[in-house]
Amino acid sequence: MSDLSRPQGPKIIAVANQKGGVGKTTTSINLAAALVEAGKRVLVVDLDPQGNASTGLGVESDAREFTTYELLLEDISLDEVIQETDFDGLYIVPATIDLSSADIELISNEKRSFLLHDALRQTAMDAFALDYILIDCPPSLNLLTVNAMIAAHSILVPLQSEFFALEGLSQLMLTIREVRQSGNKDLRIEGVVLTMYDRRNNLSQQVENDARSNLGDLVFKTVIPRNVRVSEAPSFAMPVLTYDTSSKGASAYRALAKELISNNSI
Ligand SMILES: Nc1ncnc2c1ncn2[C@@H]1O[C@H](COP(=O)(O)OP(=O)(O)OP(=O)(O)O)[C@@H](O)[C@H]1O
Ligand SMILES: [Mg+2]
């Protein structure tokens, strides 16, 4: 089905939450894998100097010659920075620690907030025929995350099902509001997804109730359970969908992909 609201290429989604360890990278990797399993062509942009998404998708450090740093700051062909992964239809722009200096190097650059926006909209991008681009953001509201928010059509927010989960959200929403005023007025919130959910734990249920009563339909129906297979998969350089295809974690990310696809009609 053609999507008239998205005439020029892939839907770009930034996976962001400035709180560390809430499941941004896990969600980027596994949602991407689930979208690919559903027949979509997906690019993951690793925008975190920690490079966890790159490792989790099997790009070893010595295979990261050209990275997000070059994508943002150098004039380099997309064929060199976009790497094919072992999974058909799943691509990645990897990251290394080099990216940690980008924040400072960008300060004097007039287009500093728009570098990722422009990089992802080069006409050479069309050749990859992507349906989705997922940007794995660092745990900060720095210039890299602002680049992701300016580049993206929407933000997907992983929310860890634990105490204080909702506390950081107001700061994130404030930043989203500022980005809407300064460079991306159409930026939407794709949704909030509860991660590391434990049904036996009252706290998880309380966070879910709070999130649903405060944020309503913005919260995805799908909840990602805490599942040890999900946390083991990256050390085998695989999404959980291939590491343990019948695990609860794999099923949950499949359900999330289905919900996303149905919300977007893409
Ligand atoms: N559903 C899950 N079940 C079990 N463990 C999980 C699950 N999701 C994430 N984890 C684990 O929690 C930790 C943090 O997850 P992840 O790295 O995805 O968070 P992050 O938000 O990207 O962190 P950072 O802010 O450092 O980038 C990791 O060790 C990961 O394996
Ligand atoms: Mg991460």
Side-chain angles (χ1 to χ4, degrees), residues 20-26 28 46 48 50-53 136-139:
V22 297
K24 293 180 288 296
T25 302
T26 304
S28 301
D46 191 346
D48 186 348
Q50 298 179 98
N52 295 337
D136 183 25
C137 292

Side-chain angles (χ1 to χ4, degrees), residues 175-231:
T175 307
I176 293 174
R177 207 173 306 151
E178 281 167 18
V179 168
R180 282 185 183 135
Q181 283 161 5
S182 67
N184 187 1
K185 68 176 170 38
D186 297 325
L187 181 63
R188 291 183 48 246
I189 295 173
E190 189 65 50
V192 172
V193 62
L194 289 154
T195 61
M196 297 180 240
Y197 190 87
D198 182 354
R199 287 202 187 278
R200 292 158 304 179
N201 185 335
N202 285 340
L203 197 52
S204 277
Q205 291 179 17
Q206 200 181 321
V207 172
E208 179 176 16
N209 291 342
D210 284 355
R212 293 201 191 278
S213 60
N214 282 303
L215 304 164
D217 286 346
L218 279 183
V219 184
F220 281 101
K221 293 188 189 73
T222 307
V223 164
I224 309 296
R226 184 177 281 286
N227 175 223
V228 68
R229 308 303 267 170
V230 171
S231 55

Side-chain angles (χ1 to χ4, degrees), residues 76-126:
I76 188 154
S77 113
L78 283 180
D79 286 329
E80 300 211 73
V81 285
I82 297 182
Q83 294 194 22
E84 238 172 306
T85 66
D86 289 343
F87 311 94
D88 228 10
L90 180 54
Y91 298 83
I92 182 161
V93 182
T96 64
I97 193 73
D98 286 354
L99 196 56
S100 58
S101 62
D103 229 26
I104 293 165
E105 287 175 45
L106 289 178
I107 286 175
S108 57
N109 189 319
E110 216 174 289
K111 299 205 70 183
R112 59 184 171 266
S113 303
F114 287 83
L115 296 172
L116 187 60
H117 172 277
D118 294 352
L120 296 180
R121 283 167 177 79
Q122 307 171 58
T123 45
M125 197 54 106
D126 299 350

Side-chain angles (χ1 to χ4, degrees), residues 3 5-6 8-14 35 41-43 120-121 130-135 151-155 186 188-190 260 263-266:
D3 175 13
S5 66
R6 196 184 54 95
Q8 317 100 334
K11 167 100 186 207
I12 305 175
I13 302 174
L35 287 167
R41 295 174 59 80
V42 184
L43 169 67
L120 296 180
R121 283 167 177 79
L130 297 167
D131 297 298
Y132 287 93
I133 298 179
L134 301 183
I135 307 169
H153 298 111
S154 64
I155 315 268
D186 297 325
R188 291 183 48 246
I189 295 173
E190 189 65 50
L260 184 80
N263 291 349
N264 282 281
S265 324
I266 303 169

